[in-house]
Amino acid sequence: MKTLIALLRAVNVGGTGKLPMAELRGMAEDVGFDNVRTYIQSGNLIFSSSDAMPDARKALEQRLEDYAGKPVGVILRTAQEMHRVFDANPFPDAEPSKVGVLFLDNAPPPGIAETAKGQADEVIEPGEREVYIHFPSGMGRTKLRLAAMSDGTVRNINTVRKLVNMATGSGSK
């Protein structure tokens, strides 16, 4: 059994994709996941599974599509991968609520920072399968658009830390 973290795209954000977290936990249990937990109302799911990651993802995506009537994007990371994402934060001195991580399935496209649209004071740093973004003026005010945003989902570094702690049972960093 490995601990996995699922990040759902476009769930309970801006009035779209309403999905009560109790429903999400129930769906995860229905497909056979264990130790199922959610964090806040934005589609963060922690669970244990003996399935290979692609199989776990496929099962969850199918169950979500059955529920929503349309595909729901899911990004998966192991607890260890999420811990590495947190540790690799290139903005450790920035206010945590102003550091976002765009999670992707694959490596960010080359030149992602150079092709950004609507960039003001944001600083963009590509990672392995994520993009770190410092939003000095706040995430809620940004006009920043990256081509890869339609393929991923953003969480602030506070949420990443909490998911790591929940998945690993460690205390706060």
Side-chain angles (χ1 to χ4, degrees), residues 79-142:
Q80 294 78 16
E81 288 170 331
M82 189 65 82
H83 200 285
R84 284 194 298 272
V85 167
F86 179 77
D87 286 345
N89 174 14
F91 310 111
D93 298 326
E95 187 177 329
S97 65
K98 294 183 177 182
V99 175
V101 182
L102 170 61
F103 288 90
L104 304 166
D105 284 325
N106 300 301
I112 190 164
E114 293 78 21
T115 59
K117 306 282 188 226
Q119 187 174 6
D121 59 353
E122 300 88 358
V123 182
I124 303 163
E125 288 290 334
E128 288 181 35
R129 290 188 297 154
E130 52 282 327
V131 178
Y132 297 88
I133 308 165
H134 180 213
F135 298 93
S137 298
M139 291 175 76
R141 297 183 178 178
T142 189

Side-chain angles (χ1 to χ4, degrees), residues 21-161:
M21 293 300 97
E23 291 279 336
L24 177 57
R25 286 189 299 275
M27 286 183 238
E29 290 167 350
D30 288 348
V31 297
F33 300 152
D34 295 315
N35 196 21
V36 176
R37 294 156 286 152
T38 56
Y39 176 64
I40 64 176
Q41 293 288 9
S42 59
N44 302 300
L45 178 70
I46 302 107
F47 61 93
S48 298
S49 176
S50 57
D51 294 340
M53 281 181 65
D55 296 334
R57 179 180 173 161
K58 183 177 180 179
L60 183 58
E61 284 180 333
Q62 184 60 58
R63 185 64 182 88
L64 287 163
E65 185 173 349
D66 292 346
Y67 174 87
K70 63 180 181 178
V72 175
V74 175
I75 303 286
L76 274 186
R77 295 290 192 271
T78 66
Q80 294 78 16
E81 288 170 331
M82 189 65 82
H83 200 285
R84 284 194 298 272
V85 167
F86 179 77
D87 286 345
N89 174 14
F91 310 111
D93 298 326
E95 187 177 329
S97 65
K98 294 183 177 182
V99 175
V101 182
L102 170 61
F103 288 90
L104 304 166
D105 284 325
N106 300 301
I112 190 164
E114 293 78 21
T115 59
K117 306 282 188 226
Q119 187 174 6
D121 59 353
E122 300 88 358
V123 182
I124 303 163
E125 288 290 334
E128 288 181 35
R129 290 188 297 154
E130 52 282 327
V131 178
Y132 297 88
I133 308 165
H134 180 213
F135 298 93
S137 298
M139 291 175 76
R141 297 183 178 178
T142 189
K143 304 278 190 236
L144 180 69
R145 294 291 166 257
L146 302 174
M149 284 180 161
S150 62
D151 298 324
T153 187
V154 177
R155 300 296 187 273
N156 75 35
I157 206 74
N158 284 326
T159 297
V160 173
R161 178 182 56 236

